[in-house]
Amino acid sequence: MHGITKKILSGIGAMAAALGCVIAAGPPAAAAGKWCNHSVCIQTYDTGNYLGRVEVSVTNTNQPNRIRARVWTTNGWSAGTKTEDVAKFRTYRDQVYPQRHFPPGTRLCAEGFRGGASVGLPCTTITN
């Protein structure tokens, strides 16, 4: 009886460990959502692997700065945002419009620049 109980508990432990790995890894992000890294966020409003509009926001510091961003995908699409002088404690926002479908697994990234220095680089993987 002790041997059977030990085998059952061992099997339950293995299943729990496997489930934990699946939960920890999780699926890549779909096209719709918001992802941030340091002072930069990218937000998409579409579903699946279509991106119509991508919004980039860069949080400013306690002094005025010149801010811009660059958005790109790993399959060759890219676009720059306008450069703007932003007052202190303001958030810069701009949009780019890919208006296309991307193959699943394509990475979408945006890098924000404040005063010429990179201040964040969020990325996500586009899925179906």
Side-chain angles (χ1 to χ4, degrees):
M1 184 70 168
H2 177 66
I4 294 173
T5 304
K6 190 174 179 181
K7 285 182 183 179
I8 291 172
L9 290 176
S10 176
I12 291 172
M15 286 183 358
L19 180 60
C21 289
V22 170
I23 292 171
K34 184 175 184 175
W35 301 271
C36 299
N37 177 264
H38 299 290
S39 296
V40 182
C41 292
I42 51 176
Q43 186 165 357
T44 59
Y45 300 91
D46 302 292
T47 58
N49 62 359
Y50 178 81
L51 290 177
R53 173 173 63 128
V54 177
E55 182 177 283
V56 181
S57 60
V58 180
T59 305
N60 197 12
T61 60
N62 62 349
Q63 59 187 0
N65 275 302
R66 179 162 284 182
I67 297 179
R68 67 180 178 87
R70 187 174 80 88
V71 183
W72 71 93
T73 62
T74 54
N75 75 336
W77 178 87
S78 69
T81 63
K82 68 182 177 295
T83 300
E84 189 173 305
D85 291 321
V86 178
K88 61 183 179 179
F89 299 118
R90 294 287 190 204
T91 298
Y92 162 93
R93 290 192 196 320
D94 199 8
Q95 293 86 33
V96 295
Y97 299 90
Q99 297 183 347
R100 66 186 71 190
H101 288 273
F102 291 94
T106 300
R107 299 279 293 161
L108 169 68
C109 299
E111 186 170 18
F113 299 91
R114 185 186 316 130
S118 177
V119 293
L121 178 62
C123 291
T124 188
T125 302
I126 299 168
T127 63
N128 283 342

